[in-house]
């Protein structure tokens, strides 16, 4: 019984840590312990480590930590790629070692062994496509075409040069300081892929998220069916109701069945919980990026819009205050100032055309090479 409770506590702590790390900065967790854990994991722990290293080893130790941080966070590196491959490899190996012996089973056919291999293989292919595909690098040869393909909206994007590349910055592009290149329709730099997500590879990134979500759901369903089959073959419900006199209801059977499953299939239970948590995170991440794709917006632009709306509201408030002050000196009624700030996305072409732009990027269309700089 003690071991079972330790497993439950372990699963809960793991779930909280994963959610806090990946989602703790979301607005829904603002002011909660999830946000505080996220801050500690991402900032607080590192700051305390730097202080400890400085006290123990002085400036040389601190500089070494700073150099490591610079490599991990400010330079292209394969750390998260190796971590991803380790997670997938260890998870699949654990499933194969612990659960393939029960396949085929009462509810699971033998072909699921091979389907799982194909599923993991496709996930690896999508990972490689996203990692090593060109995100839409802007250079001297194509800058005029990109400038014509993405007109300036004069709100978020205006004509200017990239100070690093020394070329005009097309609208919707951004210079990635990690990759040291300008990327067309820049979304974000993904550490997991060690690559930027931009105009040309957003489709691969979306396919990667969707496929991994479906793969996690598939794993949860198949492993659950494996456990259901084992429970049926061992006649657990019959034994509990007939020999132990437990009421045949969910509230009556759930505790002893849970204890039996944790005692007999603890590895499968942990993997099911892990896959379920990852599936929920992937679902949220995919839904967010799907919304961006359907509205022809990028992550970079969404942050720019937040900054613009915030600045515009403050500007309107300052204008309203100035107008009210001027009216009070003149003994007049203060004028009404419209403080509404409307977001006008000049790149939204409708759901169908927005989706087509992701699936078939503008730079890969025949008309792209014929565009000239305005």
């Amino acid at each position: 019984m003690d071991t079972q409770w330790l497993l439950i506590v372990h699963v809960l702590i793991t779930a909280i840590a994963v959610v806090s790390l990946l989602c703790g900065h979301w607005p829904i967790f603002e002011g909660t312990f999830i946000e505080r854990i996220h801050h500690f994991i991402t900032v607080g722990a590192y700051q305390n480590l730097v202080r400890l290293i400085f006290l123990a080893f002085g400036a040389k130790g601190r500089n070494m930590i700073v150099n490591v941080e610079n490599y991990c966070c400010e330079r292209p590196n394969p750390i998260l790629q190796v971590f991803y491959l380790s997670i997938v490899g260890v998870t699949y190996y654990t499933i194969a070692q612990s659960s393939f012996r029960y396949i085929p089973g009462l509810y699971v056919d033998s072909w699921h062994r091979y389907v799982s291999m194909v599923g993991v293989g496709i996930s690896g292919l999508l990972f490689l496509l996203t990692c090593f595909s060109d995100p839409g690098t802007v250079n001297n040869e194509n800058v005029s075409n990109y400038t014509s393909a993405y007109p300036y909206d004069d709100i978020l994007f205006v004509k200017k040069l990239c100070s690093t590349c020394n070329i005009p910055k097309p609208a919707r592009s951004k210079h990635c300081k990690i990759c040291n290149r300008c990327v067309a329709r820049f979304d974000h730099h993904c550490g997991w892929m060690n690559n930027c997500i931009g105009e040309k590879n957003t489709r691969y990134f979306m396919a990667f998220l969707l496929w991994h979500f479906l793969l996690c759901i598939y794993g949860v369903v198949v492993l659950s069916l494996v456990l259901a089959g084992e429970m049926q073959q061992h006649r657990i419900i019959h034994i509990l109701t007939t020999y132990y006199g437990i009421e045949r209801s969910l509230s009556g059977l759930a505790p002893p069945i849970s204890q039996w499953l944790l005692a007999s299939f603890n590895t499968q239970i942990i993997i099911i919980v892990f896959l379920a948590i990852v599936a929920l995170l992937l679902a949220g991440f995919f839904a967010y990026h799907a919304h961006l794709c359907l509205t022809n917006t990028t992550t970079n632009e969404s942050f720019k819009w937040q900054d613009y709306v915030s600045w515009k509201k403050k500007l309107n408030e300052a204008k309203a205050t100035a107008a009210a002050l001027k009216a009070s000196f003149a003994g007049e009624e203060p004028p009404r100032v419209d403080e509404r700030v409307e977001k006008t996305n000049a790149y939204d072409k409708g759901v169908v055309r927005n989706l087509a732009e992701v699936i078939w990027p503008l730079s890969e269309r025949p008309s792209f090479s014929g565009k000239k700089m305005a």
Side-chain angles (χ1 to χ4, degrees), residues 322-340:
L325 185 62
K326 183 178 179 181
S328 66
F329 283 131
E332 299 173 353
E333 191 73 20
R336 291 189 59 185
V337 178
D338 189 4
E339 296 184 0
R340 291 177 302 175

Side-chain angles (χ1 to χ4, degrees), residues 4-282:
Q4 296 165 10
W5 279 110
L6 284 174
L7 286 171
I8 293 173
V9 171
H10 171 70
V11 169
L12 288 175
I13 292 175
T14 302
I16 291 172
V18 171
V19 172
S20 300
L21 174 62
L22 299 179
C23 310
H25 61 289
W26 291 4
I28 57 173
F29 294 117
E30 188 175 353
T32 65
F33 74 97
I34 295 292
E35 182 187 38
R36 291 192 288 272
I37 295 174
H38 173 81
H39 181 270
F40 175 77
I41 294 175
T42 57
V43 179
Y46 172 73
Q47 291 177 342
N48 290 330
L49 175 63
V50 171
R51 294 191 190 101
L52 183 62
I53 294 294
F54 179 72
L55 291 175
F57 302 101
K60 289 185 178 180
R62 182 182 60 187
N63 292 338
M64 181 188 69
I65 295 296
V66 171
N67 289 334
V68 172
E69 179 208 6
N70 186 59
Y71 172 76
C72 294
C73 303
E74 304 294 335
R75 295 288 182 271
N77 64 78
I79 295 175
L80 287 180
Q81 289 175 299
V82 173
F83 188 49
Y84 160 81
L85 293 173
S86 301
I87 291 175
V88 173
V90 170
T91 302
Y92 186 73
Y93 176 79
T94 304
I95 291 174
Q97 287 292 99
S98 63
S99 304
F100 274 17
R101 73 186 74 169
Y102 304 110
I103 300 175
L106 190 60
Y107 301 121
V108 182
D109 293 326
S110 59
W111 53 265
H112 282 284
R113 290 188 176 198
Y114 310 105
V115 168
S116 65
M117 294 179 189
V118 173
V120 173
I122 293 174
S123 69
L125 176 62
L126 290 173
F127 177 70
L128 292 175
L129 278 173
T130 312
C131 288
F132 298 106
S133 59
D134 177 18
T137 303
V138 182
N139 51 44
N140 287 315
E141 287 72 31
N142 61 21
V143 64
S144 61
N145 301 101
Y146 273 122
T147 303
S148 181
Y150 295 108
Y152 298 100
D153 63 354
D154 294 323
I155 300 176
L156 301 183
F157 302 103
V158 296
K159 289 184 178 180
K160 61 181 179 180
L161 288 176
C162 173
S163 58
T164 305
C165 299
N166 198 29
I167 58 175
K169 288 188 66 174
R172 315 192 73 184
S173 68
K174 182 181 178 181
H175 185 90
C176 177
K177 65 178 182 179
I178 297 177
C179 295
N180 193 29
R181 59 184 171 182
C182 282
V183 177
R185 199 182 181 277
F186 179 88
D187 190 274
H188 69 285
H189 180 89
C190 182
W192 292 96
M193 306 298 173
N194 194 25
N195 195 10
C196 291
I197 305 302
E199 187 243 2
K200 285 188 175 182
N201 64 353
T202 296
R203 52 188 171 176
Y204 302 138
F205 179 69
M206 294 298 293
F208 172 87
L209 293 177
L210 179 60
W211 184 259
H212 280 70
F213 165 72
L214 295 175
L215 194 62
C216 288
I217 294 297
Y218 171 74
V220 169
V221 171
V222 171
L223 289 177
S224 298
L225 290 175
V226 167
L227 297 187
E230 289 301 305
M231 191 171 65
Q232 181 69 18
Q233 288 184 338
H234 286 82
R235 305 182 69 190
I236 299 301
I237 294 178
H238 174 74
I239 292 172
L240 291 174
T241 54
T242 303
Y243 296 100
Y244 291 90
I246 296 176
E247 181 184 356
R248 196 181 185 88
S249 64
L250 180 62
S251 60
L253 290 172
I257 288 176
S258 299
Q259 292 177 14
W260 180 78
L261 288 173
L262 284 170
S264 305
F265 300 97
N266 53 75
T267 301
Q268 288 85 347
I269 295 294
I270 291 175
I271 293 175
I272 287 173
V273 173
F274 171 73
L275 292 178
I277 293 172
V278 174
L280 287 174
L281 295 174
L282 288 170

